[in-house]
Amino acid sequence: MEPLAEEFAEFFEEKYSKEAGELALGYPTKRSLEVSYASLDRFSASMADELLLDPDAAIAAAEVALRKLPLGTMEFGFEPRVRFTDLPESSRVSVEDLGAAHIGKLISVDCVVTKRTEVQPKVKVAVLRCRLCDARFKILVDKNTTILPETCDSCKRRALECDEEHSEYVDLQRIEVQEPIENLRGAAPSSRVAAWMEDDLVNTVLPGQRLVITGIMRLKPPTKKQENAFVYRKYVEVVHAAKLEKDFEEIDATPAETRKFRELAKKPDVFDLIKDSIAPGIYGHDEVKQALALQLFGGTEGKKQVDGKSAIRAKIHVLILGDAGTAKTRLLQRAIEIAPKGLFVSGKSVSGVGLTASAERDELSDGGWVLKAGALVLAGGGLAAVDEIDKIDEDDRAAMHEVMESETISIAKAGIVAQFRAKTSIVAAGNPKLGRFDANAPIAPQYAIVQTLLSRFDLIFPIMDVLDETRDDKLADHVLNQHMLGGPTIASGAVGHTLDAMRAPMDTDLLRKYIAYARRRVHPALSPEAKDAIKAYYVDLRKAATGAVPITARYLDGLVRLSEASAKTRLSPTVETQDAKRAIFLVDYVLKTVMTDRTTGALDVDLVAGTPYAYAGAYRKIVAIVKGLEAEYDMVKVSLVIETAAEQGLLAKEAEKFINRAILEGDLVEPQKGFLASAKRVLE
Ligand SMILES: [Zn+2]
């Protein structure tokens, strides 16, 4: 053995004899020995240095040493890997900073997995056979192997070909990683890098998972297909992949910070301080800000249903629907800025980034299938803001249902079956169907979002740009004052939220840490008084509500979640009456805004669950007329539908309105201008 291997043999015998013995017993099911850098460093600082600077030589020596250890039974075919981990802080490199300086060095990278390819066989030992003289050669394929020889050593003719059947292979899986979301502060996705996982590392990680990778940075020579022959692609050959079991690395508060948080929590106006820090640059919308404040804290995690199996969702989901120009996007951006972990995506650009998760063909695996994590998976454990939610496509919508209810995303495509964990709170914003709300029509039917998705949100805020003189006066003052305060920055909407940070009563960084602390340390439980308050409200609500769809227990879960979040804002272990009242106020506000029938003043849950009685009647009538006329005509003239509707007592103007509505709902289609047909689909 060479000197370095001798040293490793000594090291293993002294520090890892037990683990090496277990490996020998478990081989080949268990195929690698995990070795801590720190223990090597304590044994020999020079060996540890050698490992960082020339990991290829050091790991090769360590593996030779391990194979030669007197471990009993293993004489033949024992080829375990040595996987080093826990590198010093000085060897940590961010994905973005990976560069030429790190080539061939052992480094560690803190990252989140974005993609994973299928497992592919990679040649480890190539068997070459001469077509002419039948001589055979074995070539060890390693990082230095670029091409296999073609000339036969015995007959000196160019007649070698690879004997695939007799060659030896190792499993290879490529992944792609990027900087963890919580380090980005909601900014655009950063650089990404490919990482290669071999042998027992394959299929051990999923997209969306947080990892600390220990690996060797390598360069992949350009392929013939590539345009620029001098651009090498970097990748990390993974030596060890440590999974972070938590959704993100939560840095615990220092004792000084903890004292500060406790003092803050004692302030009687702590909730207002938090709420007013959400987006002070935006006038009004106090209820939305309250909802966002509660969402950032979330309910009590880890509670189980009565059956003891399924978990009760603790994440709060909020939806803001409103006319263009009502600052929805800014509210979302600001929530992401404050969240300990958050990611902002727009429904329009989502097809590029990916909202949920997917299986697609990709260059990472040379055209093979890759599993790819989208925003909701990457933001796992945190908050995802989805702007323009009305623009997301059918597949993403279905996946969103699953995330919001079961906190998972399942994929079944092209033989790939996978389930991702996605414990993500969602704050979404969208436009009404016709761009803005018609103040004279019921609100809920104007939502451009399917009912099944709507019902997953705890709170839905329709924001209307209504004419209101006193409010407009205050708003004008507010905006003008901002101009005086904010100088040039306010001119651009895109940087508006940084101005929010400037004006917030609580420093954004402090607020973020406070939230992280509350989420980690505070798990409030309902007091009997709070329980009674929630119950009383719920019972009253069920009595007051008319309409076919009842107020369901879903509302009860929501009320509890919001109350728990409210208790967390004061770091209180107990949900008190004041918390229940806050939750009731918000739920009641939303119900009153959306469900009150403007003519009768009664609560009509159908307004949320679908359409109000009278309204639904006229709507169904129009669709039925089109269906009836279809028996006679291939395509039904709009004018004929309006005529028929008039005979049934519906004004032309009304009929037109419901025709447009039915087209938007997808119950009618317009195959050609001026003509209608019913949509051939099963109605929900
Ligand atoms: Zn030959």
Side-chain angles (χ1 to χ4, degrees):
M1 273 197 281
E2 55 165 322
L4 189 56
E6 301 273 9
E7 287 182 80
F8 267 111
E10 266 176 56
F11 169 63
F12 288 142
E13 270 178 71
E14 195 168 309
K15 303 278 181 186
Y16 281 89
S17 59
K18 181 169 158 270
E19 291 83 353
E22 283 165 5
L23 172 66
L25 279 176
Y27 195 86
T29 314
K30 186 171 165 39
R31 291 200 299 282
S32 52
L33 178 69
E34 190 179 297
V35 177
S36 151
Y37 171 87
S39 79
L40 179 65
D41 193 35
R42 279 195 300 274
F43 179 80
S44 156
S46 69
M47 281 167 78
D49 284 348
E50 182 85 23
L51 174 68
L52 295 181
L53 295 173
D54 190 0
D56 284 315
I59 292 171
E63 287 176 354
V64 166
L66 185 58
R67 250 174 272 156
K68 299 278 167 66
L69 284 185
L71 295 169
T73 54
M74 284 300 161
E75 293 288 315
F76 183 74
F78 182 53
E79 291 183 11
R81 304 256 181 168
V82 178
R83 302 204 176 278
F84 289 96
T85 180
D86 300 329
L87 293 199
E89 203 54 44
S90 57
S91 297
R92 281 216 174 186
V93 185
S94 73
V95 175
E96 206 149 32
D97 292 340
L98 273 175
H102 307 110
I103 297 164
K105 306 283 189 295
L106 194 67
I107 46 159
S108 77
V109 185
D110 198 1
C111 57
V112 57
V113 182
T114 52
K115 289 181 189 171
R116 190 185 89 178
T117 68
E118 296 163 284
V119 178
Q120 295 156 315
K122 182 187 146 201
V123 179
K124 192 165 71 173
V125 178
V127 173
L128 299 175
R129 192 184 68 91
C130 178
R131 256 184 289 131
L132 303 170
C133 74
D134 206 37
R136 279 157 209 262
F137 308 91
K138 274 190 174 186
I139 306 269
L140 184 70
V141 178
D142 63 16
K143 64 177 172 65
N144 299 316
T145 316
T146 46
I147 45 163
L148 293 171
E150 291 176 346
T151 308
C152 172
D153 260 2
S154 34
C155 70
K156 306 294 174 202
R157 283 176 293 185
R158 278 167 67 104
L160 285 184
E161 45 185 32
C162 190
D163 178 355
E164 270 122 23
E165 208 178 308
H166 294 99
S167 295
E168 288 171 40
Y169 300 87
V170 63
D171 284 339
L172 169 70
Q173 185 168 51
R174 278 173 276 193
I175 61 173
E176 182 192 75
V177 299
Q178 73 163 48
E179 197 71 16
I181 301 298
E182 58 272 32
N183 298 354
L184 296 174
R185 294 271 155 265
S190 60
S191 340
R192 294 172 175 190
V193 70
W196 291 20
M197 317 262 278
E198 277 188 18
D199 203 1
D200 55 345
L201 290 180
V202 307
N203 286 340
T204 56
V205 302
L206 264 181
Q209 214 148 35
R210 283 279 279 105
L211 298 179
V212 177
I213 284 177
T214 302
I216 305 165
M217 159 110 171
R218 299 204 190 284
L219 290 181
K220 190 178 168 225
T223 56
K224 279 174 200 152
K225 280 182 278 177
Q226 260 170 274
E227 276 175 31
N228 191 332
F230 298 103
V231 178
Y232 281 62
R233 272 196 247 164
K234 59 191 176 187
Y235 71 95
V236 177
E237 187 184 304
V238 180
V239 170
H240 185 273
K243 277 178 264 183
L244 290 182
E245 289 309 326
K246 284 186 185 155
D247 281 311
F248 51 103
E249 201 169 19
E250 298 166 292
I251 300 146
D252 216 345
T254 63
E257 280 174 329
T258 308
R259 271 196 302 279
K260 202 171 174 186
F261 296 154
R262 290 281 161 195
E263 265 164 43
L264 195 60
K266 274 187 222 146
K267 290 192 179 183
D269 62 343
V270 62
F271 182 76
D272 289 331
L273 286 177
I274 295 165
K275 174 204 69 180
D276 291 338
S277 300
I278 297 289
I282 295 168
Y283 175 75
H285 303 311
D286 200 63
E287 297 80 10
V288 181
K289 291 176 186 173
Q290 289 189 37
L292 294 179
L294 294 182
Q295 179 178 42
L296 285 165
F297 286 84
T300 301
E301 299 273 355
K303 289 190 301 180
K304 295 262 185 281
Q305 303 275 17
V306 189
D307 65 11
K309 278 176 240 153
S310 43
I312 297 176
R313 160 161 74 89
K315 301 272 183 254
I316 294 168
H317 305 308
V318 176
L319 174 63
I320 309 167
L321 289 168
D323 302 346
T326 42
K328 296 174 308 234
T329 305
R330 247 175 86 188
L331 283 163
L332 260 56
Q333 282 170 338
R334 188 61 188 144
I336 290 302
E337 200 172 67
I338 297 169
K341 178 180 181 180
L343 193 61
F344 183 96
V345 281
S346 169
K348 264 198 275 182
S349 63
V350 147
S351 46
V353 182
L355 183 64
T356 55
S358 57
E360 21 188 276
R361 290 197 182 275
D362 190 279
E363 58 173 31
L364 184 68
S365 62
D366 305 316
W369 290 95
V370 299
L371 273 181
K372 193 176 153 198
L376 299 184
V377 178
L378 294 177
L383 178 68
V386 184
D387 201 6
E388 307 207 66
I389 190 179
D390 43 316
K391 302 214 169 57
I392 65 171
D393 66 27
E394 204 72 33
D395 289 350
D396 278 341
R397 195 187 300 154
M400 254 182 105
H401 283 166
E402 196 188 338
V403 172
M404 295 179 76
E405 208 47 57
S406 16
E407 308 190 317
T408 54
I409 294 179
S410 308
I411 282 188
K413 185 178 170 185
I416 298 170
V417 179
Q419 193 177 57
F420 300 84
R421 221 162 63 94
K423 288 185 82 170
T424 311
S425 315
I426 292 171
V427 56
N431 302 302
K433 274 176 199 162
L434 300 170
R436 51 197 314 117
F437 282 114
D438 174 355
N440 298 315
I443 292 176
Q446 302 184 55
Y447 292 169
I449 296 170
V450 294
Q451 169 55 27
T452 45
L453 189 53
L454 274 182
S455 67
R456 261 97 177 155
F457 286 97
D458 294 284
L459 294 168
I460 303 167
F461 294 94
I463 298 181
M464 264 181 285
D465 198 6
V466 283
L467 285 177
D468 175 344
E469 260 178 53
T470 46
R471 191 179 177 279
D472 283 353
D473 194 50
K474 276 192 197 150
L475 179 66
D477 266 348
H478 192 78
V479 171
L480 291 172
N481 287 343
Q482 267 201 334
H483 276 282
M484 292 165 71
L485 234 166
T489 49
I490 189 65
S492 151
V495 294
H497 55 292
T498 56
L499 187 78
D500 286 324
M502 274 165 55
R503 299 195 44 190
M506 258 176 99
D507 173 68
T508 301
D509 210 43
L510 173 70
L511 179 53
R512 185 186 300 125
K513 283 185 179 160
Y514 185 76
I515 292 168
Y517 179 82
R519 290 172 51 142
R520 195 170 54 244
R521 291 301 180 91
V522 187
H523 311 285
L526 280 184
S527 66
E529 298 78 27
K531 186 189 148 206
D532 288 347
I534 291 173
K535 193 176 155 194
Y537 173 73
Y538 177 71
V539 171
D540 280 353
L541 193 62
R542 281 179 61 95
K543 269 189 237 154
T546 61
V549 180
I551 294 271
T552 59
R554 205 190 276 276
Y555 284 87
L556 212 47
D557 284 340
L559 283 162
V560 173
R561 266 194 290 279
L562 293 164
S563 308
E564 289 166 347
S566 170
K568 277 187 177 176
T569 64
R570 316 189 297 286
L571 308 182
S572 164
T574 314
V575 179
E576 291 167 12
T577 312
Q578 54 165 316
D579 301 309
K581 280 187 176 160
R582 182 169 287 135
I584 290 167
F585 166 76
L586 283 175
V587 169
D588 203 53
Y589 172 84
V590 167
L591 289 178
K592 291 229 166 84
T593 317
V594 181
M595 293 203 216
T596 308
D597 187 312
R598 285 172 199 220
T599 46
T600 65
L603 271 187
D604 184 347
V605 187
D606 278 2
L607 282 170
V608 170
T611 44
Y613 282 157
Y615 192 88
Y619 181 95
R620 282 192 216 108
K621 194 176 276 177
I622 289 290
V623 177
I625 288 170
V626 174
K627 281 188 177 157
L629 291 171
E630 268 178 331
E632 298 169 50
Y633 306 92
D634 282 343
M635 283 194 296
V636 184
K637 261 194 173 160
V638 173
S639 56
L640 185 60
V641 177
I642 294 176
E643 258 172 56
T644 317
E647 286 162 20
Q648 298 184 22
L650 206 59
L651 294 175
K653 206 178 142 202
E654 289 285 287
E656 266 171 44
K657 197 168 90 189
F658 287 112
I659 289 171
N660 287 333
R661 181 77 64 214
I663 292 170
L664 283 170
E665 295 277 358
D667 288 329
L668 293 181
V669 290
E670 216 176 355
Q672 190 175 314
K673 187 106 191 91
F675 290 91
L676 292 170
S678 65
K680 302 287 180 284
R681 67 180 175 96
V682 184
L683 290 178
E684 275 183 286

